[in-house]
Amino acid sequence: MPAPDEGMTSATADADVPRRTEGLELLGRYQGAEYENPVFLARRGDGQMIQLSFLLFLVAQEIDGARNSETIAERVGQAFGKDVSADNIRHLVARKLHPLGVIAEPGAPTAVTADAPRNDLLLGLMGRHTLVPQAQVRTAARALAWLHRPTVTVLVLGAALAMDGWLFLVHGAIPALLDTLSRPLPLLTVFALIVASLVFHEFGHASACHHAGATPGRIGCGLYLIWPSLYTDVTDVYRATRAGRLRTDLGGVYFNVVFMLLLLAAYAGTGHPVFLAAIYLGHFEIFEQLMPTARLDGYYILTDVAGVPDLYGRIGPLLRGLLPRRVRSGRPAEPVPVLTRRARTTVTVWVLTLVPLMLADLGYGLWNLPRITSTALGALADQAHAATTAAGHEQLWSTLVALIDVVLLALPFVGTGWLLLRLLRATARKLRPTREPPLPARSLGTPVNQASPQAR
């Protein structure tokens, strides 16, 4: 049995040998980021992406569970080009890497702890459930990746331009749409085709992610704001180049175009106007996706063009920076890393455009909330009665359409309550001391509100 002092010496030595948390993956430099200093990426075992400075990345890189602080300091100093002491390493491990969930507590299990910081987005997807597991998504992504080859992309976009010219300038889309909306069965068929296009949209993100050299995750469903949504987990695309991330952002809309061409082929073979109606409504789906306000495809496109991974996370610091110095005294400064001038300009324009729009939309909604609620509840009661009546008369299609309307009318009430609860939780977290949040997961999602038979 060792003497007490020998035991203490051994424990102290073990404590001076830091260990990474289980499953940590160091991905390298964040390509295309518009920061004044380089930013490096790591992915924890729980899938959360972490931003690290060059020095922190080097420290994490040299930690292997066997080297002590002295050895790590020597190796990091050589790579960093400046002297680094063992005390510097201990400070960085204790005050920087451990709070991020990158380094485990001395003597504790190496699993990522429950209190490790996670980016819980207020305006993100809620109540996520898997529809297609990662293994099946990866298989499908590999099979569809050829559609992202430059030659194929040019041919698809050229065919889409020809399709739109014929549909809107020669044939006309409105007659087919009106004919479809006037009958229950074609209406339900259009609804099914729009839902199918939303699913195909998600495989566009997954296959583009694979084409960019990253690994797509699962495809699932959740609640975005007040609408049910589909999403694809493409968080791994952070490791890709900026061009690869942009290709992934645009992959869903691109597959919407491919799906429209398939619908056009179906119309050419059958002559049924329901396919033209679905093509027409698909254009609204694309337009909605490209809006850079909500966390949809257009938002992520803008983040990658600007080189800033979380634009919403910059709203608070930017608005505080516009306040007079005496008003913002005592408030925390903008979190590091600091943006380049180009990125700050882009973010400023986006924030100064978005915030007034959001406030105006909120004010309009609150002003009309009583009337909207009364109308929605009345419509909900009417559709529930229609579904009951149709079921009593064994009218299958009318019953199904009415039930879909009941669900779509009820979801905003459920989503609003859930959003208010998350808002209260987010407000409570703001009252506690915080640190720079991790990178948000990239769940490129598609709200399915446009699939409603009454949406357009």
Side-chain angles (χ1 to χ4, degrees), residues 12 151 212 339 429:
T12 303
T151 303
L339 304 180
R429 285 197 300 270

Side-chain angles (χ1 to χ4, degrees), residues 381-441:
D382 291 342
Q383 290 301 323
H385 181 265
T388 304
T389 303
H393 291 83
E394 298 183 353
Q395 297 173 347
L396 176 61
W397 298 117
S398 298
T399 302
L400 188 55
V401 170
L403 288 176
I404 291 172
D405 281 345
V406 168
V407 172
L408 292 176
L409 286 167
L411 279 172
F413 293 98
V414 177
T416 300
W418 199 343
L419 184 62
L420 289 175
L421 179 61
R422 287 170 62 90
L423 181 60
L424 291 174
R425 290 175 55 192
T427 302
R429 285 197 300 270
K430 290 292 184 182
L431 299 177
R432 300 194 298 265
T434 58
R435 59 175 68 91
E436 174 74 2
L439 288 177

Side-chain angles (χ1 to χ4, degrees), residues 309-328:
D310 186 11
L311 292 174
Y312 275 105
R314 294 283 169 173
I315 293 179
L318 189 143
L319 294 179
R320 286 197 297 270
L322 298 177
L323 296 174
R325 184 179 299 274
R326 64 178 182 277
V327 176
R328 67 175 186 264

Side-chain angles (χ1 to χ4, degrees), residues 51-73:
Q51 298 180 84
L52 299 174
S53 67
F54 181 43
L55 178 58
L56 289 177
F57 187 83
L58 290 176
V59 173
Q61 197 172 44
E62 296 301 332
I63 292 174
D64 62 355
R67 301 186 184 110
N68 60 19
S69 298
E70 291 283 353
T71 305
I72 295 171

Side-chain angles (χ1 to χ4, degrees), residues 148-402:
H148 298 279
R149 294 173 183 170
T151 303
V152 177
T153 301
V154 170
L155 291 175
V156 167
L157 296 180
L161 287 174
M163 174 189 68
D164 281 355
W166 173 80
L167 179 62
F168 293 105
L169 300 179
V170 179
H171 183 277
I174 298 300
L177 180 65
L178 295 177
D179 179 70
T180 298
L181 295 179
S182 63
R183 293 178 292 162
L185 182 56
L187 182 63
L188 195 61
T189 304
V190 170
F191 175 78
L193 290 173
I194 293 299
V195 172
S197 75
L198 300 180
V199 176
F200 196 62
H201 173 106
E202 300 307 325
F203 281 103
H205 290 307
S207 56
C209 179
H210 174 80
H211 190 269
T215 302
R218 62 178 179 169
I219 291 177
C221 63
L223 201 65
Y224 183 74
L225 298 181
I226 60 174
W227 291 109
S229 301
L230 302 177
Y231 71 89
T232 306
D233 184 356
V234 290
T235 306
D236 193 56
V237 82
Y238 275 122
R239 70 161 74 227
T241 62
R242 179 183 289 187
R245 293 196 299 274
L246 284 169
R247 184 182 294 113
T248 303
D249 301 335
L250 291 164
V253 169
Y254 172 63
F255 264 44
N256 284 137
V257 174
V258 173
F259 193 84
M260 289 179 187
L261 293 175
L262 295 176
L263 291 176
L264 184 64
Y267 172 76
T270 64
H272 203 293
V274 70
F275 297 109
L276 296 185
I279 292 173
Y280 178 79
L281 294 176
H283 286 77
F284 288 96
E285 179 186 337
I286 291 176
F287 176 76
E288 183 177 17
Q289 282 290 335
L290 293 178
M291 295 296 290
T293 50
R295 291 183 189 270
L296 302 178
D297 295 358
Y299 169 82
Y300 287 105
I301 291 169
L302 183 59
T303 63
D304 287 321
V305 170
V308 183
D310 186 11
L311 292 174
Y312 275 105
R314 294 283 169 173
I315 293 179
L318 189 143
L319 294 179
R320 286 197 297 270
L322 298 177
L323 296 174
R325 184 179 299 274
R326 64 178 182 277
V327 176
R328 67 175 186 264
S329 60
R331 294 177 178 268
E334 180 181 358
V336 292
V338 179
L339 304 180
T340 63
R341 177 178 296 181
R342 172 183 175 275
R344 285 198 300 271
T345 301
T346 303
V347 174
T348 301
V349 171
W350 178 78
V351 170
L352 295 182
T353 303
L354 175 70
V355 171
L357 289 175
M358 291 179 67
L359 292 176
D361 189 54
L362 178 62
Y364 180 82
L366 292 176
W367 179 262
N368 292 282
L369 183 60
R371 186 176 62 180
I372 293 173
T373 302
S374 175
T375 303
L377 288 175
L380 183 61
D382 291 342
Q383 290 301 323
H385 181 265
T388 304
T389 303
H393 291 83
E394 298 183 353
Q395 297 173 347
L396 176 61
W397 298 117
S398 298
T399 302
L400 188 55
V401 170

